[in-house]
Amino acid sequence: MSPGLPLLLFQVGARVFAAPAADVRRIGGSLVERPEEAVPDTALGRPWDARRGLVVDGGDGAERTVLVDGVLGLRAAEGDELVELPAFARDVISTRALAGFARIDEVPTLVVDLPALVRERRDGEAAPDREETNRHG
Amino acid sequence: MAEGKTKRRAPPRRRRGEAATEADVVARVLRAHADGDYAARVDVGAIRDPVLAGLAAVVNVAAEQARVRQDEVAARMEAVRLGVDEAIDAMVRLVVQGDLTGSLRLAVTDAALTPLIAGVGQVMETLKRFVTEIREAAIQLSASSAEVLAAATQNENSTAQQATAVHETTATMEELKGASHQIAENAQTVATIAAETLAATQQGEQAIRAFMESMEKVRHNAVEVDEAIGKLSRRVERIGTVVEVIDEIADRSDLLALNAALEGAKAGEAGRGFSIVAQEMRRLAENVMESTREIKNLIGEIREATHAAKEASDGNKRMAADGERLGGAAMSSVMGILAGAQGTSDAARVIHLATQQQRSATEQVVQSMGEIESVTREAQAGSRQATGAAAELARLAERLAAMVQRFRVE
């Protein structure tokens, strides 16, 4: 993660995450033209309302829409606000889609690699364990 | 004046004055005779006047004859007196001794006493007859007086019983009069209460009619309120629909703003202005969504309020219907009560009049009983007097019988 990275803040359930804005092609509504493109359930958890969808590259030439509860906005993270994920955390966390932390308004916020998250989901590498995710979050 | 015997002498020659004096002498003797003194005499020899002397002689003779006659009369009177006294004594003795069986015997016999003796005999016979009749009458009187006394005593007892009965009846009538007074007063009170009840029932009927009219108005108003609520609900739904559209537009605007901001962020410095515009647009969209949320909240509150109003209106309609139904039932009951109250009032009025008449009649009866009791007391007093008189009569009869018992007629 480089300083000045524009991050898109979004909410899944009660938790707020961040993702590089460049990874998001567009932001859509909850209705998806093709249901097979929707990703309602990820390692981040299952959204409550799924009012928004983050359209990302699915990795197979198709777009995928990660359903989230809401998009909170865009923030440009400065250098000291971005923290790489520690090695031991990378080892213990089941998903590989976490890029690090961003300190947003003094609150540590996970930075998610959405395309990787979509690929994981597609490949079935990480089963969404909400309890474990909540514990690490 | 010379007294005692007279002797004729030749009259002396007298003068005129002497004639007057001799006349006076004769007059004085005549006056003495007039006074009843026939012993007075004129001294004929002392009178010279021959006429006076002759007169004096005649006077003396008359006086002598009168004296003799007087003596004879006196003697006869004495004899008669003695005979009468004897007769009286004999009659008294006969009456005292009660022996009427014999006849009168007098020691003095005088022809003048014959009528007396005859009369006395008749008196004795008459007395004997009277005694006999009185004795018989006394016996009858005694028997009759005993019967009268018995009858008077029985009459007195009966009168006393009658007086007691009348007194008890009078007392009872007095109590009845008091009860009649109380009944009349109670009847008056009942009539008054019945009239008041009737008036109150009529007022109640009017009140129920007014209540039913109010319920009708309430029901009508509830229907109008229901219609107004329906209109309001439909308008609120339309508002909700519009707000949904606005919300959708705001959401799309927000989404558009987000995408614009995303592209601006991706463009870096070149998209900075675009990001700012997108940010403002997003703010506007958020404001709109905030407003639509508020409107939705208001719409929700209005829906709740209209729902509550609808329920209240439905409740009012149900209550109005119940009220009308209950009012109808109450009206039926009140009409029945009214009819009963009318009948009760009429009956109470009739009873009141009847009790008034009864009280008047009772008072008249009490007054009459008082008069009867007074008359009874007088009759009782009369009976006592009659009994007393009968007892006195019986005693008198006994006394009479005892009195005549001592007379012997045979």
Side-chain angles (χ1 to χ4, degrees):
Chain A
M1 295 185 292
S2 57
L5 178 69
L7 297 175
L8 179 70
L9 300 179
F10 61 95
Q11 184 176 351
V12 177
R15 301 177 64 180
V16 177
F17 301 94
D23 292 340
V24 179
R25 289 185 177 181
R26 62 181 180 278
I27 302 169
S30 59
L31 297 178
V32 184
E33 292 183 359
R34 288 188 285 276
E36 62 272 15
E37 292 181 357
V39 183
D41 197 1
T42 65
L44 303 182
R46 181 178 286 276
W48 292 338
D49 290 332
R51 293 183 65 248
R52 293 282 185 261
L54 304 178
V55 180
V56 299
D57 183 8
D60 51 358
E63 291 179 340
R64 294 287 185 275
T65 302
V66 178
L67 298 180
V68 297
D69 287 308
V71 175
L72 302 181
L74 290 161
R75 289 288 296 274
E78 298 303 329
D80 55 346
E81 292 178 340
L82 295 172
V83 179
E84 294 288 338
L85 191 66
F88 74 92
R90 198 181 296 277
D91 291 336
V92 299
I93 294 177
S94 59
T95 179
R96 299 293 179 187
L98 295 179
F101 290 93
R103 196 167 58 246
I104 306 296
D105 296 330
E106 302 302 326
V107 177
T109 305
L110 286 172
V111 178
V112 181
D113 185 350
L114 290 176
L117 186 67
V118 169
R119 285 195 295 275
E120 280 183 357
R121 186 71 180 87
R122 184 191 64 194
D123 296 341
E125 288 182 0
D129 188 347
R130 292 186 185 85
E131 293 294 330
E132 202 169 11
T133 303
N134 290 335
R135 235 184 345 266
H136 288 296
Chain B
M1 187 188 302
E3 298 180 351
K5 298 181 180 176
T6 56
K7 177 162 68 167
R8 297 179 72 107
R9 295 183 300 183
R13 295 180 57 94
R14 60 186 178 92
R15 291 185 292 272
R16 183 178 297 174
E18 290 181 355
T21 302
E22 292 174 350
D24 292 335
V25 171
V26 174
R28 277 202 296 276
V29 172
L30 290 174
R31 279 199 289 274
H33 292 166
D35 292 336
D37 183 11
Y38 292 101
R41 298 287 184 272
V42 181
D43 187 3
V44 177
I47 296 175
R48 295 178 182 186
D49 184 78
V51 176
L52 288 177
L55 181 61
V58 172
V59 168
N60 289 335
V61 173
E64 183 61 23
Q65 293 179 350
R67 189 185 64 78
V68 171
R69 179 78 60 183
Q70 186 179 23
D71 289 343
E72 291 176 352
V73 170
R76 291 193 66 185
M77 288 183 63
E78 181 64 19
V80 170
R81 187 188 65 79
L82 292 175
V84 170
D85 289 341
E86 188 177 350
I88 291 174
D89 290 340
M91 288 187 65
V92 169
R93 284 195 300 275
L94 289 175
V95 172
V96 170
Q97 293 176 359
D99 185 6
L100 298 176
T101 57
S103 60
L104 182 62
R105 295 283 187 270
L106 298 177
V108 178
T109 59
D110 189 309
L113 295 179
T114 300
L116 176 62
I117 295 172
V120 172
Q122 290 180 357
V123 168
M124 287 182 62
E125 289 299 320
T126 304
L127 187 60
K128 186 189 302 183
R129 191 169 60 254
F130 283 169
V131 168
T132 302
E133 292 178 356
I134 290 173
R135 182 178 293 173
E136 293 175 355
I139 294 172
Q140 291 180 359
L141 181 61
S142 179
S144 299
S145 64
E147 294 178 359
V148 170
L149 178 61
T153 303
Q154 185 177 1
N155 187 28
E156 183 181 0
N157 293 333
S158 298
T159 307
Q161 292 177 0
Q162 184 180 5
T164 301
V166 169
H167 180 71
E168 290 177 354
T169 303
T170 303
T172 302
M173 290 306 299
E174 284 286 347
E175 293 178 359
L176 186 60
K177 184 179 81 169
S180 296
H181 276 285
Q182 189 64 39
I183 291 171
E185 290 179 357
N186 291 340
Q188 174 66 37
T189 303
V190 169
T192 302
I193 293 173
E196 292 176 353
T197 302
L198 179 62
T201 306
Q202 291 171 343
Q203 290 180 358
E205 180 196 4
Q206 295 299 324
I208 291 175
R209 289 189 187 281
F211 168 75
M212 292 182 68
E213 290 177 359
S214 295
M215 285 295 103
E216 175 64 24
K217 291 181 181 177
V218 168
R219 190 181 62 79
H220 184 69
N221 290 337
V223 170
E224 291 181 353
V225 168
D226 208 14
E227 291 176 356
I229 290 173
K231 289 181 182 178
L232 180 61
S233 294
R234 289 190 292 275
R235 285 184 171 80
V236 167
E237 292 304 318
R238 287 183 57 187
I239 292 174
T241 303
V242 172
V243 168
E244 286 293 333
V245 172
I246 295 174
D247 197 33
E248 181 67 22
I249 294 173
D251 184 69
R252 289 181 178 276
S253 298
D254 182 63
L255 192 61
L256 186 62
L258 284 172
N259 284 302
L262 180 64
E263 294 302 326
K266 290 179 181 179
E269 191 62 29
R272 184 180 178 83
F274 193 72
S275 296
I276 293 173
V277 173
Q279 186 177 358
E280 290 300 324
M281 188 175 173
R282 190 157 183 260
R283 190 176 294 114
L284 178 63
E286 285 178 354
N287 289 337
V288 171
M289 285 192 292
E290 181 65 25
S291 298
T292 56
R293 276 196 293 274
E294 290 181 3
I295 293 173
K296 286 181 180 178
N297 291 335
L298 289 174
I299 290 174
E301 293 176 359
I302 292 173
R303 283 200 184 105
E304 292 178 356
T306 52
H307 181 68
K310 183 67 168 55
E311 288 186 348
S313 176
D314 291 340
N316 287 338
K317 286 195 292 186
R318 285 193 299 273
M319 285 191 294
D322 291 341
E324 284 183 320
R325 181 175 52 80
L326 293 174
M331 178 60 74
S332 299
S333 299
V334 167
M335 293 304 292
I337 295 171
L338 187 61
Q342 184 67 51
T344 302
S345 178
D346 294 340
R349 197 164 46 248
V350 171
I351 292 172
H352 171 60
L353 293 175
T355 55
Q356 289 289 342
Q357 293 176 358
Q358 180 184 2
R359 184 173 70 177
S360 299
T362 304
E363 290 175 352
Q364 290 179 0
V365 169
V366 169
Q367 184 178 359
S368 299
M369 289 303 299
E371 293 175 358
I372 292 173
E373 188 173 4
S374 175
V375 171
T376 304
R377 281 198 295 270
E378 292 177 358
Q380 187 178 10
S383 295
R384 282 196 294 270
Q385 289 180 359
T387 302
E392 184 65 24
L393 182 61
R395 285 192 296 274
L396 290 175
E398 291 176 358
R399 284 181 58 191
L400 182 60
M403 288 174 63
V404 298
Q405 189 65 39
R406 64 186 185 84
F407 287 99
R408 297 190 303 277
V409 296
E410 292 177 354

